[in-house]
Structures are given as C-alpha cells and as structure tokens.
Amino acid sequence: MSWQTYVDDHLMCDIDGTGHHLTAAAIFGLDGNVWAQSASFPQLKQEEVTGILKDFDEPGHLAPTGLFLGGQKYMVIQGESGAVIRGKKGTGGACIKKTGAALVFGLYDEPVTPGQCNLVVERLGDYLVDQGM
C-alpha cells in the first residue's frame, strides 16, 4: 500500500459514518520529508518540523511559543509525552502522532471533535508502530 493510500483511506476517511472528515492530513518521515499528504495540507517550514521533532524529544518545548503548522499558530494542549502532540486553534486543531519512522498529522475543524481527530490519527500511528514503522 502506498503512503498516499494511508492518507486518503485512513486519515481523510469518513469518521464513524458521520460524513465528517479531517480538513487535512499528512505523513512525514522523521527527516522532515513528506511521504504523502492531502491536497489541503499546509506547506510546513523546516523550522516547524524541527520544532515538532524537538518537542517529542523534549516534551514541553513548544508550549511557550505554540505549535506552528504552515505559519498557523496552535496552542499546545495535553498530549502524550514523546508520542503525541495536540494543538488547538479556534474551533479546530491538530494531532501529531510519532512512530518509529514517521510523523502522522491530522488537522480538523468543527463539526469534527478533538477526540475524533485524535482517534483517527493515533489509530493509524499505532498501526504503523505495530508494523515496525
């Protein structure tokens, strides 16, 4: 299966039969290279990816400045230290799951809830971890 298929079929999927979808999703390698992304995913700056990776190594690194994705600032909210970063921006937000080889990104806006986004992103991330990725 291609990485684009994971994004299209597992991240940008219909959530729980509600007809709602994430607004954007992507999978990046830990080197910051894009493996696959939805058409709507923002262009990340290298320093944004570097900051995200540093926060996984040093939890709390992004909290004072915020999480930036494509120049958009998200307030960092509770995640899982070293495994998941979550951000909130207005009525939407972001979830980033780190695996052994990749970062799985999901962005959402209402009516999708934070919990639905987290479930979609973390489910794929956990699957990739189980596959040794």
Side-chain angles (χ1 to χ4, degrees):
M1 186 181 314
S2 77
W3 291 111
Q4 192 61 51
T5 303
Y6 282 108
V7 169
D8 296 341
D9 295 351
H10 298 281
L11 293 174
M12 297 300 290
C13 60
D14 181 338
I15 299 172
D16 300 328
T18 61
H20 302 137
H21 305 268
L22 297 179
T23 55
I27 302 173
F28 280 53
L30 295 182
D31 58 3
N33 287 321
V34 178
W35 290 2
Q37 65 184 17
S38 64
S40 54
F41 195 78
Q43 179 70 42
L44 298 190
K45 299 176 182 134
Q46 186 56 49
E47 60 267 20
E48 293 172 339
V49 176
T50 302
I52 291 164
L53 290 169
K54 186 167 184 172
D55 194 80
F56 280 117
D57 292 337
E58 300 173 26
H61 168 74
L62 291 174
T65 58
L67 165 67
F68 284 85
L69 300 171
Q72 296 292 312
K73 183 178 181 178
Y74 293 77
M75 179 178 65
V76 178
I77 55 175
Q78 168 269 334
E80 293 173 37
S81 191
V84 178
I85 297 171
R86 297 187 183 113
K88 184 84 174 127
K89 180 180 183 304
T91 59
C95 178
I96 308 165
K97 168 78 175 180
K98 182 182 180 199
T99 73
L103 298 174
V104 180
F105 292 82
L107 307 180
Y108 69 93
D109 210 338
E110 285 184 338
V112 174
T113 67
Q116 288 172 317
C117 177
N118 298 344
L119 187 65
V120 168
V121 170
E122 293 174 39
R123 186 183 310 155
L124 179 59
D126 290 341
Y127 170 78
L128 294 176
V129 168
D130 290 346
Q131 299 305 306
M133 293 296 303

